[in-house]
Amino acid sequence: MTLSDLLIILATAVSPLIAVQVTRFLDDRNEERGRKLQVFKTLMATRAYNISLTHVEALNRIDLEFSEKRPREKMVLDQWQQYLDHLGDKTLTGDAWGRKRVDLLVDLLHVMGKSLGYDFNKTSIKNGTYSPTAHGRVETEQDRIRELILELLEGRGTLPMYVTNLPGQSEASSKAAG
């Protein structure tokens, strides 16, 4: 047996193993990118609803899906840390806190989009959402209902009641009329 015969046998035996390893590597890479895209798409879709459960879950997955070892992803993690720090900041209040929160979220989504190959500008990220006013009204009403129920349950509120029909009242009215 010659050297070339041995090399052909070796290549024939090893080729399927190499093909399987390359396929696994590519599948893992695609799955990893898919998870990052899912985080990004969820945050983009819910950016007008920052207290929605899916938005919060996607934010909390950033640390899991993005790596400090890759420069573009490290930028995402750095921006996420700034946003997270602001979310817990109690020094700013009201509109100032809200405006800064929006700006930091836009910065986070912009950096994340760039790291994933999207080229959104910050203005379109900030203003390119549709959020019906009815959603805000429903959310406000639900918050108010929860507050009132809690006040009742904690004894801080009252439930107004008006009696309009007492039993036997209609019988007495008809006897007095007749």
Side-chain angles (χ1 to χ4, degrees), residues 11-129:
T12 304
V14 174
S15 294
L17 297 174
I18 293 172
V20 166
Q21 290 303 316
V22 168
T23 301
R24 288 187 65 200
F25 170 78
L26 293 174
D27 287 346
D28 289 346
R29 193 176 71 175
N30 287 339
E31 182 182 329
E32 182 180 318
R33 177 171 168 74
R35 290 192 311 266
K36 291 173 190 166
L37 279 172
Q38 184 62 38
V39 169
F40 177 67
K41 288 179 179 182
T42 300
L43 290 174
M44 285 292 285
T46 60
R47 66 190 184 270
Y49 304 103
N50 60 303
I51 62 169
S52 76
L53 182 60
T54 54
H55 185 84
V56 173
E57 287 174 348
L59 286 173
N60 287 321
R61 287 181 52 207
I62 292 171
D63 288 328
L64 296 171
E65 304 301 344
F66 291 83
S67 171
E68 287 189 0
K69 295 176 184 175
R70 297 183 181 112
R72 285 184 155 192
E73 292 184 20
K74 182 170 181 353
M75 290 172 55
V76 171
L77 292 170
D78 291 344
Q79 194 63 49
W80 161 231
Q81 195 59 53
Q82 287 182 35
Y83 184 53
L84 181 61
D85 286 346
H86 177 71
L87 292 176
D89 185 5
K90 305 292 188 240
T91 58
L92 291 176
T93 58
D95 290 340
W97 185 88
R99 281 192 299 275
K100 186 171 181 181
R101 183 199 64 76
V102 169
D103 289 342
L104 288 171
L105 177 61
V106 168
D107 291 343
L108 172 63
L109 292 173
H110 184 255
V111 169
M112 190 180 293
K114 286 222 179 278
S115 79
L116 293 168
Y118 288 94
D119 193 23
F120 292 110
N121 65 50
K122 290 183 180 183
T123 303
S124 68
I125 292 172
K126 184 176 183 177
N127 300 327
T129 62

Side-chain angles (χ1 to χ4, degrees), residues 144-145 147-163:
R144 184 68 182 134
I145 289 168
E147 288 171 12
L148 291 172
I149 290 173
L150 283 172
E151 286 176 12
L152 281 173
L153 293 174
E154 292 170 351
R156 296 181 289 122
T158 59
L159 185 62
M161 300 178 97
Y162 303 97
V163 178

